[in-house]
Amino acid sequence: MDPLDLARWQFGIITVYHFLFVPITIGLSAIVAGYETAWVRTRNPVWLRLTKFFGKLFLINFALGVVTGIVQEFQFGMNWSDYSRFVGDIFGAPLAVEGLLAFFLESTFLGLWIFGWDRLSPRLHATCIWLVHLGTLFSAYFILAANSWMQHPVGYSYNPKTGRAELHDFFAVLLNKVQLATFPHVVMSAYLTAAAFVLGVSLWSMQRNEGAVKEIFRRAVRTGAALLLVAGVGVAITGDISGKIMTEVQPMKMAAAEGLYDTQTKAPFSILEWGSLNGEHHTSIIEVPGLLSFLGTGSFNGEIKGVNQLRAEYQAKYGADPGQKYYSPGNYTPMIPVTYWSFRFMIGLGLLAAAIAIAILFVTRRGRAPNSRWWTRAAIALPLLPVAANSFGWIFTEIGRQPWAVFGVMTTAQGVSPSVSAFDVWTSMILLTLLYAVLAVIEVKLLLTTIKAGLPEDAPPADDSDDLDRPLAFAY
């Protein structure tokens, strides 16, 4: 394998691994803040115990997410120096604001929340975790703004003297139409993922406890299931909006997601089809007439451009050979089997999680608490389904843009570091993969240990806010 192959694999491994933690961090910070707010308003110790239990799980996940996120920045300079040089002026502003504003907000108020249980008033303490959640949203917004620029570059001009893209309208980047559709979709997905995490953990814990503790986890099961369904509706609505924006600015990605080779009106959405690995033809097995046209245009009679027509259109617009290896000259077609199946896994796994949540709401109604082994299996699967769906969604988003790193501007092959060797990339990829394997073992062990330990004791924190001389204390 050459350095480009290896750099692509390394980017995929590192980014997918990091993205396992991000949605849980965003969504779980909101759920913990909601539990603590419920405790502040009602003084019901049930909400306080859930706040501390899931707060500890949130901290474990947050720590691993920060560590793996730092590595992301190193690999840009290591394997993608030409890309970094080209987009540095564009990415500098949103990523700098993300670091100075969002991460500062997260880390500062997370520290106050961790050490402030016995020092801050309950209202002020709850405000801290809400500000942490606000910081995670800011962080997501600015990072997605940078990624959305790669999908739909706006607010810049190309300087032929420096060979770089130069920013001239920061707000155009922040208000990019792709960004405005992507951000709410990602946030809703994060809420769904965290809700599934709470639901799975609570369902598993409910089956292993009795009495008051079982009832507390049953309450968490129902709140988690309800939040999952609400977030699922949000994911569907925002996903529909994203699909229409994608059809407008990246029609090849939509055509590849459906394996649609020729332009059609009343285009069907295929539930299942069989295609060739070289992406030349397909055979539909199950399809819904007109649904793809509706998803892409808002009309069941709308026109969706096919791969063959778009390929000719791109050749006329961008030239004959934008890529080098992965795509034959003038192909402009992403890997259709990957885009097709990642798109369906993204949707299918999210729908499966929602279906399980509906079933759980039904079986836990009127104080019931099922103990069947099937629900134990569901509890284990629930946190994993949205996490896998998120990963497939990210793979679809990035693979569907190929051969472009920046759509219509720079190919992935042009962005790789010219001086990096295959040995260099092999070495860093093996070391990082081993490091991530160790981190995965630590993460899973910490989570399982905390979950098995169960709820903390029913002891509300003392309100010592008037004791200004008392040092901060670590709550866990």
Side-chain angles (χ1 to χ4, degrees):
M1 298 175 78
D2 64 18
L4 176 60
D5 292 307
L6 296 168
R8 287 162 62 98
W9 273 104
Q10 181 169 323
F11 185 87
I13 292 170
I14 289 175
T15 306
V16 168
Y17 189 86
H18 174 61
F19 203 57
L20 298 178
F21 304 100
V22 173
I24 297 178
T25 295
I26 295 173
L28 199 53
S29 63
I31 294 176
V32 171
Y35 281 150
E36 185 167 4
T37 301
W39 173 69
V40 170
R41 290 178 62 86
T42 65
R43 293 297 174 164
N44 185 338
V46 167
W47 300 121
L48 179 62
R49 297 177 77 181
L50 288 174
T51 299
K52 291 195 170 185
F53 178 69
F54 284 106
K56 192 181 292 186
L57 297 175
F58 162 71
L59 292 177
I60 294 168
N61 190 77
F62 180 87
L64 269 292
V66 170
V67 171
T68 55
I70 292 173
V71 178
Q72 288 279 87
E73 300 181 12
F74 287 119
Q75 72 164 339
F76 280 117
M78 187 166 55
N79 293 339
W80 302 99
S81 61
D82 277 2
Y83 166 82
S84 301
R85 189 178 301 111
F86 183 78
V87 304
D89 193 55
I90 308 294
F91 276 29
L95 294 186
V97 175
E98 191 273 335
L100 292 173
L101 173 63
F103 189 68
F104 177 80
L105 196 64
E106 288 177 71
S107 56
T108 300
F109 286 98
L110 185 60
L112 289 172
W113 188 75
I114 294 172
F115 293 101
W117 279 103
D118 297 332
R119 289 287 293 179
L120 303 175
S121 70
R123 288 180 182 275
L124 185 56
H125 192 264
T127 301
C128 289
I129 191 63
W130 277 115
L131 290 172
V132 171
H133 176 58
L134 188 62
T136 65
L137 294 179
F138 280 147
S139 181
Y141 191 90
F142 289 109
I143 291 174
L144 287 173
N147 183 271
S148 295
W149 186 84
M150 296 165 63
Q151 313 289 340
H152 181 54
V154 293
Y156 82 103
S157 59
Y158 176 68
N159 186 336
K161 293 182 179 179
T162 61
R164 301 175 68 236
E166 296 183 351
L167 180 67
H168 64 69
D169 189 345
F170 183 46
F171 289 101
V173 175
L174 293 183
L175 301 177
N176 186 342
K177 65 171 70 175
V178 173
Q179 163 71 355
L180 296 181
T182 301
F183 176 69
H185 187 56
V186 170
V187 171
M188 286 294 122
S189 300
Y191 291 154
L192 186 151
T193 304
F197 179 82
V198 169
L199 176 55
V201 170
S202 301
L203 184 61
W204 188 87
S205 301
M206 181 183 74
Q207 293 183 303
R208 279 155 180 76
N209 287 278
E210 296 295 338
V213 173
K214 187 183 185 105
E215 177 54 30
I216 292 173
F217 278 119
R218 197 189 77 84
R219 188 176 298 196
V221 164
R222 292 190 64 79
T223 56
L227 179 58
L228 190 155
L229 293 178
V230 172
V233 173
V235 169
I237 294 173
T238 56
D240 180 63
I241 297 171
S242 293
K244 290 174 173 57
I245 298 294
M246 180 176 69
T247 304
E248 177 186 342
V249 302
Q250 293 179 308
M252 181 65 88
K253 185 187 289 186
M254 176 59 92
E258 287 302 314
L260 184 72
Y261 290 91
D262 294 308
T263 301
Q264 291 187 41
T265 56
K266 301 180 182 179
F269 180 89
S270 65
I271 304 298
L272 181 64
E273 69 179 35
W274 186 257
S276 61
L277 291 177
N278 60 6
E280 294 295 332
H281 59 82
H282 75 283
T283 301
S284 292
I285 299 175
I286 305 173
E287 61 183 23
V288 181
L291 182 56
L292 177 59
S293 287
F294 178 78
L295 294 175
T297 67
S299 169
F300 287 100
N301 295 319
E303 179 184 274
I304 301 294
K305 292 183 178 180
V307 169
N308 294 328
Q309 287 72 31
L310 287 168
R311 189 181 295 155
E313 185 179 310
Y314 284 16
Q315 287 173 356
K317 184 174 183 179
Y318 299 115
D321 187 10
Q324 295 178 1
K325 176 179 179 182
Y326 286 91
Y327 314 93
S328 58
N331 191 327
Y332 290 100
T333 310
M335 299 176 186
I336 290 180
V338 176
T339 54
Y340 181 88
W341 286 110
S342 58
F343 189 60
R344 276 147 189 78
F345 283 138
M346 173 186 70
I347 297 173
L349 293 174
L351 289 175
L352 180 58
I356 295 175
I358 292 173
I360 289 174
L361 278 177
F362 180 78
V363 299
T364 57
R365 70 192 188 284
R366 299 175 184 174
R368 298 175 183 174
N371 288 314
S372 165
R373 68 173 59 181
W374 287 103
W375 293 117
T376 303
R377 294 168 182 168
I380 296 171
L382 268 167
L384 303 177
L385 293 175
V387 167
N390 291 329
S391 296
F392 282 115
W394 180 85
I395 290 170
F396 165 71
T397 300
E398 301 306 304
I399 294 291
R401 190 185 59 240
Q402 300 301 316
W404 305 108
V406 180
F407 185 81
V409 178
M410 182 184 210
T411 65
T412 302
Q414 292 166 341
V416 73
S417 300
S419 60
V420 71
S421 68
F423 176 78
D424 296 333
V425 189
W426 265 120
T427 303
S428 59
M429 183 164 65
I430 291 171
L431 291 175
L432 288 173
T433 302
L434 291 175
L435 173 63
Y436 278 10
V438 172
L439 290 176
V441 172
I442 294 173
E443 161 91 357
V444 171
K445 184 173 178 58
L446 287 173
L447 288 177
L448 292 179
T449 301
T450 304
I451 292 169
K452 288 178 180 176
L455 293 172
E457 294 299 320
D458 183 10
D463 184 3
D464 294 332
S465 55
D466 56 340
D467 185 5
L468 300 179
D469 296 328
R470 193 157 171 254
L472 293 173
F474 186 51
Y476 300 105

